[in-house]
Amino acid sequence: MILEKYDVIVVGGGHAGCEAAAAAANLGSKTLLITMNLQTIGQMSCNPAMGGIAKGQIVREIDALGGLSGIVTDKTMIQFKMLNLSKGPAMWSPRAQSDRMRFSEEWRLQLENINNLDFFQDMVIGLLTDNNKIIGVETYMGAVIHSKSVILTNGTFLNGLIHIGNKQFGGGRMGEKAAYGITENLVELGFEAGRMKTGTPPRVDGRSINFYEMEEQKGDINPQKFSFTNTPKLIQQRSCYITYTNIKVHDVLREGFERSPLFNGTIKSTGPRYCPSIEDKINRFADRERHQIFAEPEGWQTVEYYINGFSTSLPDDIQIKALQLIPGFEKAKLFRPGYAIEYDYFPPTQLKNTLETKHINNLYFAGQINGTTGYEEAAAQGLIAGINASLKIKDRDPFILKRNEAYIGVLIDDLITKGTEEPYRMFTSRAEYRMSLRQDNADERLTPLSYSIGLASKERMINFEKKSKQTNDCINFIKSTSIRKDETNLILTQKNSAPISQSVKADSILVRPNIYLKDLEKVPSINNYIKSNHLPNEVLEQVEIKIKYKGYIDKELENVEKLNRLENIKIPVNFDYCKLNSISTEAKQKLIKFKPETIGQASRISGVSPSDVNILLIYMGR
């Protein structure tokens, strides 16, 4: 069976695949999304949540670029929290609990409303190439489908192996078969492959949970959104609940260590360091008497609960025995046990910064195939791969985000220059310029860039321009408005701030510690301006941050300019590193292997020192 030819084929219907297919199709490319099960498009394989520390920034960036993850989340969330509000705005991170079933359904509906996007249910078992260029795929049912580019977003399905105690069976997700053929095909084509491991906790019947024994965790009183578009605001919310393990729980868990694939050598691959299994936690932190456990609802209607913090591959009898010793879970009934899964990945140093592979032209990798973990990281890669696959076949310039422009830029640069030997997860600490890469200004940073390539809509651009004008006008007003001591000192006294002896500009008060724009709104002139101009909360938030943290932001921008000098120096594609006799042997080997595209990339490769970079600059006539 030979189907029609496509511009872009996306293999896999998870978070990376959904964003890749949507981006390519929205840019006008004739796109085909191939997945083994059309009923699980956009499936949340692990926790029913989007966002979190650094991850929330990524979702907002995806939205600002015209991706769909933020819109889908807003339409299906059941709780919203802005994390880290006690810290500075660079650390604020949105997080939402989602309705798992509605999330997947909404993704399906969003994709079906996109022109140029077709669907096909089958397993891709091989890639078609010609002279180191991708020309299509072959499926399990014998379909040969030609295309100008292919994006692989296979998640945990490549030779996936599920572990529950002594039981092992093939699968990419519980209840779904693994994908075979692609890994072997890629290795034949010269790619290096590896194995990684991740895990998921048991799901519990909420009717069997005693929530009175737990601490209720409500959402924010005034919940925000992820999308910069006009998505519905969350009115009603569902609570999560927190409880704790204890020494008895730990003792029971230890009973299963001999049958644990994590400890008996059955699992040989590396799991996520920052999301360890419960058995790993009690083994590594043996002095800790308890660990947090969260009961998170899976949706509006279902009674199923996700037990966050109890990820495990221990035998199912040990899982239930230990779980029932945790307060609130004494009568817990399992819907399904937790499990670990091993799967194939391909070290991402084999990729260009467009996520195109170095070995095969027009072949792109996105998501867990690159060694990352998390829906948000996967979706971001899918979006960038979809954009670049579409742009390249139209002979347009690639779309590359720098480290100072987006967390997505940090993510991709980390992967292609440093690689990863354990599942990569984004943190705010990975971004050098996190004061500039805040969740609130993602549209300011990225929407104009996306609009210029035709992805972000005109409506998005108009909304951004309106917000930007309102923000700048308000900043100018506050900077130019004098406020008298008689209308200010009472506010300052209440906030334990030194009173003023004469009229001063309003911005000089706003930069003080513990003074916020809501305090200055008590000054009549400022209050009248805000109300008469109907300024929304997102504008007021921008105004406050830009005035209050101007010094920090300006300092970062100076550092960005220095960084960009190196980023703008391109290294010729066929540059001969062998002639660099003065650099270290390790640096030479790494440069030959990774083939960095700029001096900035070269400087971030492990093993390449500043002196090596200087020598490289000299050889390039710099």
Side-chain angles (χ1 to χ4, degrees), residues 416-444:
I416 66 170
T417 59
K418 300 174 184 176
T420 183
E421 294 180 354
E422 62 182 58
Y424 179 101
R425 178 181 178 180
M426 179 54 70
F427 290 101
T428 50
S429 59
R430 296 191 190 272
E432 310 92 306
Y433 307 111
R434 53 186 173 273
M435 191 67 228
S436 302
L437 306 183
R438 306 183 310 276
Q439 57 84 28
D440 61 275
N441 70 346
D443 57 341
E444 178 182 345

Side-chain angles (χ1 to χ4, degrees), residues 16 92 234 283 395 446 467 554:
W92 298 349
L234 187 61
N283 185 54
D395 294 322
L446 301 175
K467 175 186 170 185
D554 288 347

Side-chain angles (χ1 to χ4, degrees), residues 4-22:
E4 56 188 303
K5 185 173 182 178
Y6 287 87
D7 293 324
V8 179
I9 290 177
V10 178
V11 181
H15 298 261
C18 287
E19 288 289 3

Side-chain angles (χ1 to χ4, degrees), residues 19 42 139 175 212 272 275 283 295 306 447 450 466 586:
E19 288 289 3
T139 75
Y212 294 105
C275 188
N283 185 54
Y306 176 91
T447 297
S450 183
K466 178 182 178 181
E586 181 185 8

Side-chain angles (χ1 to χ4, degrees), residues 244-257 278-279 281-283 285-293 309-310 314 318 321-323 325-326:
Y244 299 89
T245 62
N246 52 57
I247 293 176
K248 289 183 179 179
V249 175
H250 300 176
D251 289 342
V252 169
L253 291 171
R254 289 189 184 97
E255 290 177 16
F257 277 13
I278 187 68
E279 58 263 41
K281 279 191 279 191
I282 65 171
N283 185 54
F285 308 107
D287 57 322
R288 292 276 298 274
E289 294 186 354
R290 69 177 194 170
H291 295 280
Q292 287 183 332
I293 301 294
F310 204 84
L314 285 167
I318 294 292
K321 185 178 177 181
L323 192 63
L325 291 172
I326 299 174

Side-chain angles (χ1 to χ4, degrees), residues 2-13 17-18 20-22 24-25 29-35 38 41 111 115-122 124 136-139 143-153:
I2 299 179
L3 301 185
E4 56 188 303
K5 185 173 182 178
Y6 287 87
D7 293 324
V8 179
I9 290 177
V10 178
V11 181
C18 287
S29 295
K30 187 178 179 183
T31 305
L32 176 67
L33 175 61
I34 306 178
T35 178
L38 285 169
I41 282 178
L111 293 175
N115 293 327
N116 302 316
L117 180 55
D118 292 344
F119 304 86
F120 190 63
Q121 180 169 298
D122 201 351
V124 171
V137 301
E138 181 182 359
T139 75
V144 174
I145 312 171
H146 289 98
S147 66
K148 297 176 183 176
S149 63
V150 171
I151 304 172
L152 296 182
T153 67

Side-chain angles (χ1 to χ4, degrees), residues 252-270:
V252 169
L253 291 171
R254 289 189 184 97
E255 290 177 16
F257 277 13
E258 288 186 0
R259 292 186 287 155
S260 167
L262 193 65
F263 296 129
N264 64 20
T266 305
I267 291 178
K268 297 179 174 63
S269 49
T270 307

